[in-house]
Amino acid sequence: PLFEDEYVVAVAPEHRFARLKSVHPRELQGEHLVQYDVAPSSSLVQRDILGPEGVVPGQVTRMPLTDAIIELVRAGFGVSLLANWAVAPQVARGEV
């Protein structure tokens, strides 16, 4: 591998997960997942994180851009699993 990313659950500040220090993948069962616009078989999130735990999102919205994903999450439309570095500025500002 060239590198490893730490993935975090990105949620709106008022989401029930926002107060938690960690979230197990099983806790994402039934959540509205906002993720990159790739086939589920190519999605690291679905293939390597949710799939092995048998987690099925309640709904999946696919977006092509990180900024669009973060805006939907920030507005409370769903949750996302993103690389920590991709969402760190918004976390630092308390937006997600």
Side-chain angles (χ1 to χ4, degrees), residues 8-12 15 17 69-70 73 78-82 87 91 96:
V8 296
V9 179
V11 299
H15 192 280
F17 292 159
I69 293 170
I70 292 170
V73 167
V79 304
S80 188
L81 282 83
L82 296 167
V87 73
V91 170
V96 293

Side-chain angles (χ1 to χ4, degrees), residues 55-71:
V55 174
V56 178
Q59 179 178 347
V60 177
T61 298
R62 300 183 193 290
M63 301 299 297
L65 302 171
T66 303
D67 289 340
I69 293 170
I70 292 170
E71 287 303 313

Side-chain angles (χ1 to χ4, degrees), residues 28-33 46 50 55-60:
L28 297 168
Q29 179 71 32
E31 288 285 333
H32 180 177
L33 179 66
Q46 288 189 296
L50 302 181
V55 174
V56 178
Q59 179 178 347
V60 177

